[in-house]
């Protein structure tokens, strides 16, 4: 058996063993709202739909008016952004499966909302791909092991890990990572000068805002009922994601190991200068610090204290 097939077999056995820990309970099948805020977000997702092909005026975007170096920079920037969007397809689907298996007749509001999210992630991925293609061509691979490693985390597998409380998973990926992602999109939108780029960023940010609102509303409905172990798991998950994923450069190129930053960092700086959908490192630093403060403050309202994390360049954050 080859190494690849042996790994696949081990992974399948692990999933099969894990699957037995979930017991699907279908009845009684309740549809009444349990958390009105989540049901409202589902209603918004139904009405606030858009089409990447027709709701962005691609024919008005003229890459030729930008210098070749600028197009190359923006092409790389939107390609890297696509890589960070793609995991959302798997994470959202895995989380929906977990809710369906684990909660039985409960949690219908979350299930309904999450049924829309993979399609929204697919649209975001399509927008990033289309933008990169128009700027000269989408790049399929970082071509650098360090960046590839930082960009690749088993979040979908974690969503199906019964040892990770669903509240802890949503706190880390929804409250922290999605909040940072949303705030970065808002920053990119503020810097953008091209109308087509602005439309693309605005549509993605609109969906991201609902994803973040879901995470906070879900936690608000669950945290008060958590025991001490569950509360500790939430904080541990958020702190681990911050220290080992966010501060390692998952969202911010300037946080990557130095040998992995180029040509991506220079590309983002040029794209930011030309208003093509990026922010400068200084602007992103402000967004990162503000986001961590925002998350820490909101968690504190539930008496969940997020400790500081040490970083060699940023100090205690």
């Amino acid at each position: 058996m080859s190494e690849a097939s042996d790994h696949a077999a081990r992974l399948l056995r692990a999933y099969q063993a894990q699957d037995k820990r979930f017991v699907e309970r279908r009845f009684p099948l309740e549809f009444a709202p349990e958390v009105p805020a989540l049901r409202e977000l589902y209603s918004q997702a139904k009405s606030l739909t858009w089409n990447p092909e027709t709701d962005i005026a691609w024919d008005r975007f003229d890459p030729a008016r930008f210098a070749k170096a600028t197009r190359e920079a923006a092409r790389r920037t939107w390609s890297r952004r696509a890589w960070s969007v793609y995991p959302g397809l798997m994470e959202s689907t895995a989380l929906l499966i977990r809710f369906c298996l684990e909660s039985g007749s409960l949690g219908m509001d979350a299930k309904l909302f999450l049924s829309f999210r993979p399609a929204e992630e697919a649209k975001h991925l399509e927008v990033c791909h289309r933008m990169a293609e128009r700027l000269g061509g989408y790049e399929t691979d970082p071509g650098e092991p360090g960046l590839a490693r930082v960009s690749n985390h088993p979040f979908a597998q974690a969503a199906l890990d019964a040892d990770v409380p669903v509240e802890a998973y949503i706190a880390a990926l929804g409250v922290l990572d999605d909040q940072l992602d949303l705030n970065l999109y808002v920053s990119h939108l503020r810097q953008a000068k091209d109308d087509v780029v602005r439309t693309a960023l605005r549509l993605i940010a609109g969906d991201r805002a609902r994803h973040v609102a879901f995470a906070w509303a879900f936690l608000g409905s669950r945290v008060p009922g958590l025991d001490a172990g569950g509360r500790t798991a939430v904080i541990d998950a958020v702190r681990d994601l911050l220290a080992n994923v966010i501060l390692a450069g998952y969202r911010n190129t300037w946080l990557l190991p130095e040998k992995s930053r180029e040509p991506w960092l220079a590309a983002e700086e040029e794209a930011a200068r030309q208003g093509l959908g990026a922010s400068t490192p200084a602007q992103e630093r402000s967004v990162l610090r503000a986001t961590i403060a925002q998350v820490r403050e909101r968690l504190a309202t539930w008496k969940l204290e997020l400790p500081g994390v040490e970083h060699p360049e940023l100090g205690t954050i």
Side-chain angles (χ1 to χ4, degrees):
M1 182 181 291
S2 69
E3 183 178 347
S5 58
D6 183 54
H7 172 74
R10 289 199 308 273
L11 190 61
L12 176 60
R13 288 195 294 271
Y15 280 142
Q16 289 172 334
Q18 180 174 276
D19 219 27
K20 295 175 182 177
R21 303 177 65 179
F22 293 108
V23 178
E24 185 175 357
R25 297 180 301 278
R26 189 166 300 174
F27 300 107
L29 184 60
E30 302 287 352
F31 198 79
E34 301 167 86
V35 184
L38 297 184
R39 188 60 66 97
E40 171 59 25
L41 289 170
Y42 166 63
S43 296
Q44 291 178 17
K46 288 188 293 184
S47 60
L48 299 175
T49 59
W50 52 278
N51 188 325
E53 293 184 44
T54 59
D55 289 322
I56 298 175
W58 296 106
D59 58 334
R60 297 181 186 175
F61 183 61
D62 180 17
R65 63 192 178 91
F66 298 101
K68 182 179 180 181
T70 298
R71 295 197 302 270
E72 176 67 10
R75 176 185 76 84
R76 284 186 166 134
T77 297
W78 283 93
S79 293
R80 170 150 156 71
R81 188 163 296 147
W83 306 336
S84 70
V85 168
Y86 174 69
L89 278 172
M90 298 175 288
E91 295 159 19
S92 303
T93 303
L95 189 58
L96 174 59
I97 292 171
R98 166 124 182 214
F99 269 104
C100 289
L101 290 175
E102 192 173 57
S103 61
S105 63
L106 302 176
M108 181 60 75
D109 299 314
K111 296 171 192 173
L112 292 174
F113 177 82
L114 288 170
S115 70
F116 270 82
R117 181 158 176 177
E120 292 173 343
E121 299 287 1
K123 291 190 291 186
H124 303 170
L125 178 60
E126 181 179 346
V127 169
C128 294
H129 179 267
R130 281 175 174 268
M131 192 68 76
E133 283 288 290
R134 286 183 173 264
L135 287 160
Y138 168 70
E139 199 150 340
T140 62
D141 191 285
E144 199 283 317
L147 177 53
R149 184 170 55 254
V150 168
S151 303
N152 192 24
H153 293 277
F155 294 141
Q157 291 166 297
L160 293 171
D161 186 347
D163 291 329
V164 178
V166 70
E167 297 85 2
Y169 182 88
I170 289 178
L173 272 296
V175 160
L176 177 57
D177 185 50
D178 282 349
Q179 184 73 69
L180 175 59
D181 195 30
L182 168 62
N183 292 351
L184 287 169
Y185 271 110
V186 171
S187 176
H188 304 333
L189 179 57
R190 286 174 179 158
Q191 320 311 322
K193 302 172 184 175
D194 182 271
D195 287 343
V196 177
V197 171
R198 287 181 59 81
T199 299
L201 293 169
R202 177 179 54 78
L203 289 170
I204 294 175
D207 290 344
R208 277 282 179 264
R210 279 196 308 282
H211 301 170
V212 171
F214 166 82
W216 285 113
F218 177 82
L219 279 190
S221 71
R222 292 290 192 98
V223 166
L226 293 179
D227 59 17
R231 294 169 66 84
T232 298
V234 167
I235 288 300
D236 287 348
V238 174
R239 188 184 186 284
D240 180 66
L241 190 87
L242 175 59
N244 299 312
V245 179
I246 299 298
L247 294 182
Y250 184 64
R251 294 287 179 196
N252 304 98
T253 302
W254 50 273
L255 283 172
L256 289 170
E258 191 168 349
K259 65 179 182 180
S260 302
R261 293 177 186 175
E262 299 300 346
W264 311 100
L265 184 56
E268 290 179 5
E269 290 176 323
E270 174 63 13
R273 276 193 297 270
Q274 302 300 329
L276 284 172
S279 302
T280 66
Q283 290 161 346
E284 288 197 359
R285 281 189 182 90
S286 296
V287 170
L288 175 63
R289 288 188 179 278
T291 300
I292 295 172
Q294 176 186 10
V295 169
R296 183 174 278 123
E297 183 177 339
R298 291 195 65 174
L299 290 176
T301 63
W302 297 315
K303 295 183 170 54
L304 294 172
E305 304 298 329
L306 179 63
V309 174
E310 292 294 326
H311 186 270
E313 293 183 31
L314 301 173
T316 303
I317 191 168

